Amino acid sequence: MAKTKSAYFCQSCGYESAKWLGKCPSCNAWNTFVEEVIEKSTSKVPSWQTSSESKRVSKPNKVDQILSITEERILTGDIELDRVLGGGLVPGSVILIGGEPGIGKSTLMLQLALNVSGKKILYISGEESEQQIKMRAERITDQPTADCYILTETSTQNIFKQIEALEPDIIIVDSIQTLYSAHIESTPGSVSQVRECTAELLRFAKETDTPVFLIGHITKDGTIAGPKILEHMVDTVLQFEGDRHHVYRILRSIKNRFGAAAELGIYAMHSTGLRQVSNPSEILLSQREEELSGIAISATLEGARPMLIETQALVSTAAYGTPQRSSNGFDTRRMNMLLAVLEKRCGFRLSTRDVFLNIAGGIKVEDPAIDLAVMVAIISSHEEISISSKICFAAEVGLSGEIRAVNKIEQRISEAEKLGFERIFISNYNMKGLVTEKYKIELTAVRKIEDVFSILFG
């Protein structure tokens, strides 16, 4: 008989304890520990193998004796998804996609299953029926691919039987929290079940070179639900973000063993599904017929993708004793630091003024290269002086008011020039080694924030 043991797991972060605890020492959440009975199977054959075939015994090899094999990536037909994955889908990789309910995770994966040509796709759903998936497929495409198979099942043992019979090239699981394994005596979605089901799919993917997509739920804090080890087990972790009140969705790479971990893909949600946005700068910049104060354009970089965003600021007289500081899409603490620089180094009295900051398009930016645009937008609103829509900024601002250099300045300048901007403000230190003759856009190099204000506002 299989040996059983009992343990307590935190349902918020997956922390394991031998006894019940009122407060989780990992995430500091209260009353989240539940008891789960863990049963360890005595079978030495992985659950996804129905036969008793002998497994290959691994032996240690020297690094210089290992053959270098170039993996041929599978193109999904989605340019945005291929970019985020690092150039395509790697055989044998396991990709975890998380996001809020209703953001479009299932729609994105179903579009992938219907658009990949020449591959047999198995879409496993534990949340929807076949008829519901069929209705969504008819809504997002007119001609569904014949090589897309739908399976509504939650037992991993039954799923692996169907996989062995079908032999698909790509597997999509929606979602990992709905699966359960007979080796674990706990409910689906529990910490031990999520970990065991993921481990079975991971072993299957690595030994058969079949890529697997896992859709995961998230908690109220925005993190992927289940144990934290889940993100360490998989090869790639993608976060699907966006505001349901906006049409734009952002696919962000958090972890990627086969590519850059800072890539970004942008989609637009329509009634017929998700549509790729090839040029995000055009949608993030509003079309203005007249110049308005408090608006500055910045050249930012997400991964290897340059794009121009619009920074909006509003400075008004504080109605209460304590002025308000609020930002949307930008770190509020960094905005407070920039306000302190304006007050200390430039002499602007903002201590009695309300300051509101917004990054247009509903995206979040952490690139320090937009510091200069943020400060210019704030002073533009404070002085009621508009900035030309043909001017953009790309520089970081230090605590002493100096303009610091940013990385990959050539890509930022090229993106601004491509979109028709006539002038860009950059740091004087970025001019070293820069071939200015190949750019038609005017490059304005500055050393201090006072130089920028004297040029723009006199």
Side-chain angles (χ1 to χ4, degrees):
M1 185 174 179
K3 181 180 178 181
T4 60
K5 71 173 185 177
S6 177
Y8 293 87
F9 292 92
C10 173
Q11 296 299 297
S12 178
C13 67
Y15 183 83
E16 181 179 356
S17 175
K19 61 181 181 178
W20 185 87
L21 299 174
K23 181 180 180 181
C24 177
S26 177
C27 65
N28 297 325
W30 288 90
N31 299 325
T32 57
F33 277 89
V34 294
E35 183 180 8
E36 296 181 6
V37 178
I38 304 175
E39 179 182 355
K40 294 185 177 180
S41 174
T42 57
S43 176
K44 296 183 180 179
V45 180
S47 60
W48 61 270
Q49 290 183 345
T50 57
S51 61
S52 58
E53 298 178 358
S54 60
K55 295 181 63 179
R56 177 178 59 86
V57 179
S58 299
K59 297 181 180 179
N61 295 315
K62 293 182 65 176
V63 175
D64 55 356
Q65 295 178 352
I66 299 176
L67 299 177
S68 299
I69 301 177
T70 304
E71 292 285 352
E72 294 186 1
R73 294 179 180 260
I74 302 172
L75 297 179
T76 63
D78 190 330
I79 300 176
E80 300 295 312
L81 181 59
D82 288 339
R83 179 192 294 109
V84 175
L85 292 175
L89 191 57
V90 176
S93 61
V94 180
I95 299 98
L96 176 64
I97 300 180
E100 294 182 358
I103 204 68
K105 304 184 298 296
S106 300
T107 302
L108 178 65
M109 288 294 97
L110 186 57
Q111 286 186 184
L112 168 68
L114 297 175
N115 293 331
V116 176
S117 59
K119 300 294 181 180
K120 188 183 297 183
I121 315 296
L122 177 60
Y123 188 97
I124 303 170
S125 176
E127 299 178 343
E128 297 177 294
S129 64
E130 295 180 351
Q131 289 74 20
Q132 290 176 307
I133 301 175
K134 173 67 175 179
M135 291 172 58
R136 184 189 293 129
E138 292 177 344
R139 177 171 55 86
I140 63 179
T141 183
D142 297 331
Q143 298 177 349
T145 307
D147 288 338
C148 178
Y149 296 84
I150 306 298
L151 174 64
T152 55
E153 181 61 62
T154 56
S155 173
T156 56
Q157 283 68 34
N158 297 335
I159 288 174
F160 285 122
K161 289 181 182 179
Q162 300 300 326
I163 289 176
E164 186 178 13
L166 185 62
E167 296 183 353
D169 298 315
I170 300 175
I171 296 175
I172 300 172
V173 179
D174 183 13
S175 65
I176 187 62
Q177 275 81 10
T178 61
L179 300 189
Y180 74 92
S181 173
H183 300 304
I184 303 295
E185 291 185 357
S186 58
T187 59
S190 61
V191 173
S192 55
Q193 280 287 5
V194 171
R195 182 168 51 194
E196 178 65 23
C197 294
T198 304
E200 292 180 7
L201 290 169
L202 184 64
R203 289 194 296 266
F204 164 78
K206 298 303 179 185
E207 297 190 19
T208 61
D209 282 341
T210 304
V212 177
F213 283 92
L214 304 178
I215 297 180
H217 299 164
I218 66 170
T219 62
K220 60 182 180 180
D221 297 329
T223 58
I224 297 178
K228 195 66 177 178
I229 193 176
L230 180 63
E231 299 181 34
H232 295 282
M233 294 171 63
V234 299
D235 299 309
T236 305
V237 179
L238 306 180
Q239 188 80 12
F240 208 36
E241 305 172 352
D243 190 349
R244 279 179 287 183
H245 301 290
H246 290 79
V247 297
Y248 302 113
R249 303 288 188 269
I250 297 176
L251 184 64
R252 194 184 302 272
S253 173
I254 300 177
K255 169 192 173 183
N256 193 356
R257 291 174 178 167
F258 309 108
E263 288 295 339
L264 192 74
I266 299 182
Y267 296 86
M269 176 65 79
H270 299 285
S271 59
T272 57
L274 293 166
R275 294 294 175 260
Q276 307 171 34
V277 178
S278 58
N279 190 1
S281 299
E282 293 184 354
I283 65 171
L284 295 176
L285 299 179
S286 61
Q287 306 296 328
R288 308 191 303 269
E289 297 181 357
E290 58 180 350
E291 304 294 347
L292 302 174
S293 63
I295 296 178
I297 310 299
S298 177
T300 185
L301 204 66
E302 288 287 346
R305 187 177 194 177
M307 58 183 181
L308 272 72
I309 60 174
E310 182 177 294
T311 304
Q312 302 173 349
L314 176 62
V315 179
S316 61
T317 304
Y320 305 99
T322 303
Q324 300 183 62
R325 301 283 189 265
S326 177
S327 64
N328 184 22
F330 189 72
D331 188 7
T332 306
R333 292 174 297 179
R334 189 168 186 87
M335 183 188 72
N336 291 331
M337 183 192 72
L338 297 178
L339 291 175
V341 173
L342 288 174
E343 184 128 1
K344 176 73 174 180
R345 305 297 178 184
C346 304
F348 291 102
R349 302 303 176 189
L350 300 173
S351 58
T352 60
R353 310 278 279 177
D354 291 337
V355 180
F356 304 95
L357 188 68
N358 178 51
I359 304 298
I363 68 171
K364 297 180 181 178
V365 183
E366 298 179 355
D367 189 3
I370 73 169
D371 286 353
L372 184 56
V374 168
M375 300 179 76
V376 169
I378 291 174
I379 299 304
S380 172
S381 177
H382 180 266
E383 300 293 331
E384 285 295 334
I385 301 176
S386 61
I387 306 298
S388 174
S389 58
K390 297 298 182 181
I391 298 177
C392 63
F393 306 87
E396 180 184 357
V397 181
L399 291 180
S400 60
E402 79 276 12
I403 305 299
R404 303 175 60 88
V406 295
N407 61 340
K408 299 182 180 179
I409 191 63
E410 295 89 354
Q411 300 183 24
R412 303 174 193 265
I413 297 175
S414 300
E415 180 72 10
E417 183 179 7
K418 182 176 67 175
L419 293 177
F421 284 85
E422 300 174 355
R423 191 178 190 181
I424 181 172
F425 283 79
I426 62 175
S427 172
N428 184 69
Y429 300 102
N430 274 129
M431 297 296 292
K432 298 179 180 179
L434 191 64
V435 182
T436 59
E437 291 78 9
K438 65 178 183 179
Y439 300 110
K440 297 180 180 179
I441 186 174
E442 180 183 353
L443 305 180
T444 303
V446 289
R447 293 179 179 270
K448 294 185 177 182
I449 187 66
E450 295 92 330
D451 301 337
V452 180
F453 292 155
S454 63
I455 295 174
L456 293 175
F457 309 116

